Amino acid sequence: MKIGFVGLGLIGGSIAKAIRENHPESYIVAYDIYGKLLDLALVDGTINKACYEIDDNFLNCDYIFLCAPVTGNEDNIREVISYCGKNTILTDVGSTKGNIHRALDEIGFDGVFIGGHPMAGSEKYGYDNADSSIIKGAYYVLTPGKNASDKQIEDYASFVKSIGLNPVIMDIELHDTATGVISHVPHVISASLVHFLINHDNDKQTMTSRQ
């Protein structure tokens, strides 16, 4: 297999490492705005080719993973899609799916896109902290685009399973609603509580003191 990565941070790096461990014969090319991350990935053997721009090295990939932050993925798709062949499955790892599906529709992408969201992470970030154990055993939500055939969805789900993840196929809207309730709402509540305590504390810092 030939696999491309656009973005090689914590999640992208962890997936790339899982692929290398489970499919050592794979040829992996990667692009990241931070070239030093690519150098690290070359040295440790995770990737075969470092790309300092999105270029012809991404031609003929079986899979291309968009692993930049959500807004970055949307910015990168215009460059990436020109290198997607008829057999390429384009995917992402963003925590919201509706925006990227809509962005691809708006630019008239006629290839195959299967959105992905590994339900995994860490308080750390960056390729320096990437490790296949971060994603091992995690649920991996798949949101197939309109052009994805049943066979392509099945093949991709099998691939995801082969690197240690548990694929779950889900409707785009349902995913975003569920993720918002399960993940994003608790963060909003936590942040609100912290600000409430800070704004309503007394001079002795009874509520916010670390002592």
Side-chain angles (χ1 to χ4, degrees), residues 123-137:
E123 75 280 6
K124 300 177 181 179
Y125 61 92
Y127 183 81
D128 292 7
N129 297 298
D131 194 290
S132 62
S133 64
I134 291 173
I135 62 171
K136 187 175 182 180

Side-chain angles (χ1 to χ4, degrees), residues 49-144:
K49 177 68 177 180
C51 305
Y52 300 96
E53 61 182 353
I54 299 172
D55 57 21
D56 288 353
N57 285 294
F58 283 87
L59 287 170
N60 302 314
C61 282
D62 295 286
Y63 301 105
I64 296 179
F65 285 83
L66 298 170
C67 300
V70 172
T71 54
N73 283 339
E74 293 174 26
D75 292 337
N76 288 328
I77 55 177
R78 290 183 181 276
E79 291 185 67
V80 171
I81 60 174
S82 61
Y83 299 105
C84 291
K86 63 179 182 179
N87 295 318
T88 301
I89 291 179
L90 180 65
T91 186
D92 77 321
V93 298
S95 60
T96 59
K97 309 273 42 109
N99 287 348
I100 194 163
H101 278 274
R102 284 190 291 272
L104 287 164
D105 285 342
E106 287 171 4
I107 62 178
F109 179 60
D110 59 1
V112 177
F113 178 75
I114 301 177
H117 180 198
M119 307 298 286
S122 170
E123 75 280 6
K124 300 177 181 179
Y125 61 92
Y127 183 81
D128 292 7
N129 297 298
D131 194 290
S132 62
S133 64
I134 291 173
I135 62 171
K136 187 175 182 180
Y139 285 103
Y140 198 109
V141 179
L142 306 181
T143 57

